[in-house]
Amino acid sequence: MIEINREKCIGCGACVEDCLLGNLYLEGETAVAGGRCIGCGHCVAVCPEGAVSLPAWDMADVEEYGKESFCVKPENYLHAVKFRRSIRSYQKRPVEREKLEQILQAGRYTPTAANRQACRFYVVQETLSQWKELVWRELPGLLESFEKSAPAMAARFAEFCREHQEKPEKDSLFFGADVFLTVAADEIFDGGLAACNMENMAVAEGLGVLYSGYLTRIIERSQALKDWLGISDKSLACCMLLGYPAVHYKRTAPRKPADIIWK
């Protein structure tokens, strides 16, 4: 899986030291790869001479490190985290495909367990109206199931159903968002981590995001919704709504003190 350019390799051992599985070793003055590679790419990233490649993947996608373009100032990043809000009011403005692709790249580059890279992203935009109709059609039939295990949630969903019948324009589950995005993964934590990075990227692109636990629970209990999306061999990690926010906040919101144990 790994190729090492012997003309470029200087035998510094950086890739050998950084390899998690001990798959690389020095043979004379050149690094040599064994057969235990998981494709994490650390050897590619750490090599000072660019002598290592993973030819099975797109090496043209690899970028050189530059401090100005790759470092985020700590105070700026923390401010961005503090300033983000869950958006429940969106403009009637379509999200550009280019921005969605950038957001998905942030999910793609999120680390995953054993470098499986087994997250799958489902983006519903062009067929969102069809998707919403199916969700609203499915929800009443799921109420009994929720009543047995989550009565408070069942009551809330029943209220949503009544609201949708009386005032469908209220859009109690989707809030007028332009995009529905869900993440499924072999390991659910991988999907959650990817979603966090995608949210940060979405906000950087001027968009608003809402993590929808309600929609996640609804999809988990509906085979019809899973089939429509094409979720079969992976676990649903989370659902997100995206769009241009119709509300703009002027300051960060207060939070309880952090629950921290120092030892």
Side-chain angles (χ1 to χ4, degrees), residues 3 25 38 41 49 54 75 81 132 145 155 218 233 256:
E3 285 188 1
Y25 57 94
I38 62 171
E49 301 299 320
L54 300 179
E75 60 271 23
V81 172
K132 289 165 67 171
S145 172
I218 291 169
D233 58 334
K256 295 188 297 183

Side-chain angles (χ1 to χ4, degrees), residues 42-249:
H42 276 228
C43 53
V44 174
V46 79
C47 178
E49 301 299 320
V52 189
S53 62
L54 300 179
W57 293 346
D58 184 10
M59 290 300 297
D61 200 34
V62 174
E63 298 182 53
E64 293 293 324
Y65 177 79
K67 187 173 182 179
E68 292 302 317
S69 58
F70 283 85
C71 283
V72 179
K73 292 182 179 179
E75 60 271 23
N76 290 351
Y77 184 77
L78 181 57
H79 182 77
V81 172
K82 291 170 65 177
F83 194 75
R84 57 82 49 206
R85 301 262 64 81
S86 296
I87 302 299
R88 294 178 176 83
S89 179
Y90 296 91
Q91 301 177 37
K92 294 184 182 300
R93 176 183 171 187
V95 177
E96 297 87 343
R97 182 65 172 264
E98 300 78 36
K99 291 189 175 184
L100 290 175
E101 289 175 347
Q102 288 290 92
I103 292 166
L104 292 167
Q105 288 297 313
R108 172 193 173 204
Y109 272 95
T110 302
T112 56
N115 193 43
R116 293 188 182 93
Q117 300 182 48
C119 291
R120 185 177 297 149
F121 309 102
Y122 303 82
V123 185
V124 183
Q125 185 180 35
E126 294 182 1
T127 56
L128 183 59
S129 59
Q130 179 184 345
W131 168 244
K132 289 165 67 171
E133 288 177 8
L134 180 59
V135 171
W136 285 115
R137 194 161 62 243
E138 281 289 297
L139 184 54
L142 301 175
L143 293 180
E144 184 177 351
S145 172
F146 281 109
E147 286 171 357
K148 294 177 181 179
S149 59
M153 189 172 291
R156 188 70 174 130
F157 286 159
E159 182 181 350
F160 286 163
C161 290
R162 288 193 297 272
E163 288 178 349
H164 184 67
Q165 289 180 340
E166 297 170 3
K167 297 179 179 180
E169 68 279 3
K170 189 173 181 180
D171 203 16
S172 303
L173 283 174
F174 295 91
F175 302 102
D178 184 62
V179 180
F180 169 85
L181 191 157
T182 190
V183 186
D186 289 349
E187 173 56 64
I188 194 170
F189 293 109
D190 290 346
L193 290 171
C196 287
N197 279 346
M198 288 193 294
E199 181 195 16
N200 288 335
M201 189 66 202
V203 173
E205 291 282 6
L207 304 177
V209 178
L210 174 67
Y211 290 111
S212 179
Y214 285 152
L215 285 169
T216 302
R217 300 296 180 271
I218 291 169
I219 295 169
E220 285 175 337
R221 301 211 182 194
S222 170
Q223 190 59 49
L225 296 178
K226 290 180 182 178
D227 290 344
W228 192 93
L229 289 170
I231 299 175
S232 57
D233 58 334
K234 296 182 182 293
S235 298
L236 187 64
C238 70
C239 296
M240 308 166 67
L241 300 174
L242 296 92
Y244 284 98
V247 56
H248 296 280
Y249 297 94

